[in-house]
Amino acid sequence: MILSEIPISTSLAEGNRIDISDPKVRAGTDIFGNSTATRPPISNLDADLLWNIEDEEDFDFPALHTLRRASQVCVAWRNLIIASPSLWGRVINFNFLRQQDWRNEVMRRTAGSWLFVRGSRAGVDGIVDVIICLLAENWSRVRCLTLDLFHIGSLFNHDSCFWRLLKRPADVLVSFQLTFHSFYENTPNTESLSPPDFMIFDNIAPALRSFCAPNIKFDIRAPWTQHIRRLGLSNLLPISQLLEALKHMPLLEVLEDQHSSALTYEDATVPLPHVTLPGLKEIIFRTEFDIHPYMTFLAHLTPAQGVCLSFSATPFTEQYIPHNQAELATAGRILSTYSRSFGLSASDTIHLVLLGYQFKLTASLPTGRSFSFNLDCTSAHVDWEHPEDMLEGLIEEMTFPSFPSARTIYSIYHLRPILATTAETLRFLLDLPNEILKIALPLVKGILVDCPRTVADVLAIQAFLASRIEVGRAVSFLALEMRNVYGSVNMRFLEANTGLEVMICFDGETMRDYVCGSGNPDELIIKRPDTV
């Protein structure tokens, strides 16, 4: 709660009002006109400061407990706290209201004020029934609702009072966040639980600014979405519908899909609109399925300057791994576009991971804002002959800026002594900042380059070997896998790398070895055996 959002005059029970700006309060008398001259200094704190202290919420030190203990400090504090219903209305946390007598007393103290209701992992002790009953009795004054419940089937049957409650219009509701957990697995439940014909809030929520309910289907075109600021997607949603709906959300600041893997891709022949959202500050996507719908959506959304993208894909089966090189190239372009909009070059902390089945880039600005892109296929148990193909397709379209402000750069490229790669990947690595290259590939002593054909490929190998020497980590072994090569490839420049062992292979079979500096550089002119 921001202090400036607290009203100076706070309505109490019928017929009473406390005005914190009253001169008597500032002049040394309490809110009831009693002298403060002989009271302890702590009791002379301004009431607005006290209000700010009481609104701090933390799991270990919940605001409800802080408020109760503060009311026992002195008479003046107790009088102020007991007589301030809005303070009590802000601390309705059912994690700490399981005792009926205390719960009833707290609700009595809220009088007619707005309610900010919280509760997590409820459902194991009957408290959900109490929560629903309390919400039903006070729905017209629920301002914020944040609940994380265990999914108990009988309670959430389609004809239950729970769904009847959420069908009611929410005239004053500003924030709504509702998630369910599996009772047995203690993990987020992502299935749709709402009835087929369910219409949340009867589509009437004029004050709603934040909505996230992964298990509840809602109409993306409902009137209340037009003034939403934070929106969490749920259930299956075609990209075209989302893009059209976003045209009518000019205030949207945060778009997220962390639990539902909601986006679906329709007929590729249907053209999709491009959308610009100037106020969008953050995009948060998590999926265990196909990345294609997300990449397509991001490609049709023009990122605002400074927008933070947090994307993570962890496909759980091989069918969802992006094998298609065109799709991976699209992901590379998305990463480049959104990182530029974020202002990646101003980052002061960068973390880059390039492993066989994983690409991860995270960066933080001095302001604390962050950017991340993670594609991790390690849990899919895929068996690729060339796992680097995924990285190859992804980074082919990527470009990186320099990092003049970077103070901390972490990198993990490969944790084995032999790096299997291609000339394209070597060019990508060479484009990275020198700060990263200095600590890259800590264990690599040899590289296997697949199918170098062109002059550019040869130059990339030469430059990479030189870069390893420059940082004091010279490569001692180089294997060249020649496939589909019918001319000759001149690698005589390697002769200058005295002691470098070169293995030349054709179609998986080793044809010859050569130690550079041996005085016979013509051995490094590579031709297929049947053309020699």
Side-chain angles (χ1 to χ4, degrees):
M1 175 67 181
I2 301 173
L3 186 59
S4 61
E5 296 177 0
I6 301 174
I8 293 298
S9 293
T10 306
S11 296
L12 304 180
E14 188 67 30
N16 292 318
R17 179 177 289 272
I18 291 177
D19 189 347
I20 296 175
S21 62
D22 192 317
K24 290 188 297 182
V25 176
R26 311 297 186 188
T29 58
D30 64 22
I31 56 178
F32 303 103
N34 300 317
S35 172
T36 61
T38 59
R39 293 176 12 217
I42 192 172
S43 65
N44 293 325
L45 287 176
D46 286 344
D48 53 357
L49 177 59
L50 173 62
W51 274 40
N52 194 45
I53 294 172
E54 302 313 332
D55 197 48
E56 294 296 324
E57 179 68 45
D58 185 89
F59 185 83
D60 294 324
F61 302 98
L64 178 61
H65 288 180
T66 304
L67 188 62
R68 184 180 189 179
R69 291 170 182 172
S71 69
Q72 300 167 351
V73 170
C74 62
V75 174
W77 279 29
R78 181 170 181 80
N79 289 340
L80 174 64
I81 292 172
I82 296 299
S84 301
S86 58
L87 281 179
W88 294 97
R90 289 187 174 277
V91 296
I92 308 302
N93 190 331
F94 279 95
N95 291 1
F96 311 99
L97 286 174
R98 299 180 184 274
Q99 187 179 28
Q100 182 177 357
D101 291 344
W102 175 230
R103 183 169 63 245
N104 292 341
E105 175 62 20
V106 170
M107 291 305 301
R108 185 188 67 80
R109 294 180 183 183
T110 66
S113 68
W114 283 338
L115 300 180
F116 297 72
V117 181
R118 303 177 181 90
S120 63
R121 305 299 171 89
V124 294
D125 54 2
I127 193 66
V128 172
D129 293 318
V130 174
I131 295 174
I132 294 175
C133 182
L134 182 144
L135 291 174
E137 293 174 355
N138 300 276
W139 186 247
S140 63
R141 59 192 185 105
V142 175
R143 192 69 166 165
C144 296
L145 181 60
T146 303
L147 293 177
D148 183 2
L149 308 177
F150 281 110
H151 176 211
I152 302 175
S154 60
L155 184 63
F156 301 111
N157 290 334
H158 288 173
D159 60 348
S160 72
C161 58
F162 177 76
W163 298 115
R164 291 197 297 272
L165 168 66
L166 295 184
K167 280 186 177 180
R168 293 163 60 177
D171 293 323
V172 302
L173 188 66
V174 172
S175 176
F176 181 82
Q177 182 171 331
L178 179 63
T179 55
F180 297 97
H181 275 70
S182 167
F183 179 77
Y184 297 102
E185 298 180 6
N186 196 30
T187 56
N189 187 336
T190 59
E191 64 178 313
S192 176
L193 301 177
S194 54
D197 58 346
F198 181 72
M199 185 181 296
I200 192 165
F201 311 138
D202 198 27
N203 277 350
I204 301 173
L208 193 61
R209 298 296 181 267
S210 177
F211 178 89
C212 182
N215 306 100
I216 297 179
K217 186 177 182 179
F218 69 94
D219 185 357
I220 192 70
R221 296 159 294 192
W224 57 263
T225 63
Q226 296 180 15
H227 45 69
I228 204 75
R229 293 183 182 273
R230 185 181 189 111
L231 180 64
L233 304 179
S234 66
N235 299 103
L236 297 181
L237 179 64
I239 298 172
S240 59
Q241 286 189 22
L242 178 58
L243 288 170
E244 288 294 339
L246 288 177
K247 294 178 181 180
H248 306 287
M249 300 183 194
L251 303 180
L252 188 65
E253 297 179 356
V254 180
L255 179 65
E256 61 178 302
D257 178 10
Q258 301 195 62
H259 305 292
S260 300
S261 294
L263 292 188
T264 62
Y265 189 58
E266 316 96 311
D267 186 353
T269 62
V270 177
L272 296 173
H274 284 79
V275 178
T276 300
L277 292 173
L280 192 63
K281 299 178 181 177
E282 188 173 8
I283 303 171
I284 308 170
F285 286 154
R286 305 278 186 274
T287 184
E288 294 181 345
F289 299 93
D290 189 4
I291 71 168
H292 183 53
Y294 292 91
M295 296 299 101
T296 302
F297 169 77
L298 291 171
H300 287 80
L301 179 67
T302 303
Q305 192 63 34
V307 67
C308 301
L309 174 65
S310 177
F311 177 81
S312 179
T314 54
F316 70 94
T317 63
E318 185 173 354
Q319 73 179 99
Y320 297 119
I321 291 179
H323 292 281
N324 185 287
Q325 293 299 303
E327 184 177 343
L328 288 165
T330 299
R333 288 192 294 272
I334 293 296
L335 177 54
S336 296
T337 299
Y338 279 79
S339 63
R340 284 196 301 270
S341 298
F342 170 73
L344 192 67
S345 60
S347 302
D348 62 353
T349 301
I350 301 137
H351 186 186
L352 179 64
V353 176
L354 283 174
L355 297 175
Y357 302 106
Q358 182 181 13
F359 174 93
K360 183 176 182 180
L361 170 67
T362 60
S364 300
L365 297 179
T367 59
R369 296 168 58 249
S370 62
F371 175 96
S372 66
F373 191 100
N374 178 38
L375 178 57
D376 187 350
C377 301
T378 55
S379 62
H381 307 294
V382 64
D383 185 18
W384 282 346
E385 182 180 355
H386 298 286
E388 65 276 5
D389 287 350
M390 187 191 81
L391 293 178
E392 194 69 36
L394 181 63
I395 66 180
E396 193 172 47
E397 297 289 333
M398 288 172 51
T399 57
F400 271 95
S402 60
F403 297 91
S405 304
R407 296 194 305 270
T408 308
I409 300 178
Y410 306 94
S411 65
I412 303 174
Y413 289 98
H414 209 274
L415 299 181
R416 297 195 298 258
I418 302 296
L419 172 64
T421 185
T422 64
E424 287 83 1
T425 299
L426 294 182
R427 283 195 288 271
F428 167 77
L429 295 175
L430 290 168
D431 286 338
L432 293 174
N434 289 332
E435 294 90 341
I436 292 180
L437 289 178
K438 288 179 181 178
I439 56 175
L441 306 160
L443 301 181
V444 169
K445 296 297 183 182
I447 59 175
L448 187 156
V449 182
D450 184 48
C451 202
R453 296 190 185 96
T454 66
V455 173
D457 293 344
V458 172
L459 292 175
I461 296 173
Q462 183 179 17
F464 186 77
L465 292 173
S467 73
R468 301 303 293 172
I469 295 173
E470 183 179 350
V471 298
R473 292 175 178 169
V475 172
S476 59
F477 171 80
L478 171 64
L480 300 172
E481 174 61 49
M482 312 303 291
R483 290 185 290 113
N484 302 319
V485 175
Y486 297 98
S488 63
V489 180
N490 189 345
M491 305 290 288
R492 294 181 63 186
F493 71 88
L494 293 173
E495 180 70 6
N497 296 271
T498 302
L500 175 67
E501 182 182 355
V502 179
M503 178 185 293
I504 301 171
C505 307
F506 282 92
D507 301 323
E509 295 185 10
T510 302
M511 301 307 298
R512 63 178 180 272
D513 292 330
Y514 180 74
V515 178
C516 296
S518 298
N520 192 10
D522 288 343
E523 289 288 317
L524 297 171
I525 299 176
I526 304 171
K527 298 180 181 180
R528 289 189 66 85
D530 52 7
T531 62
V532 175

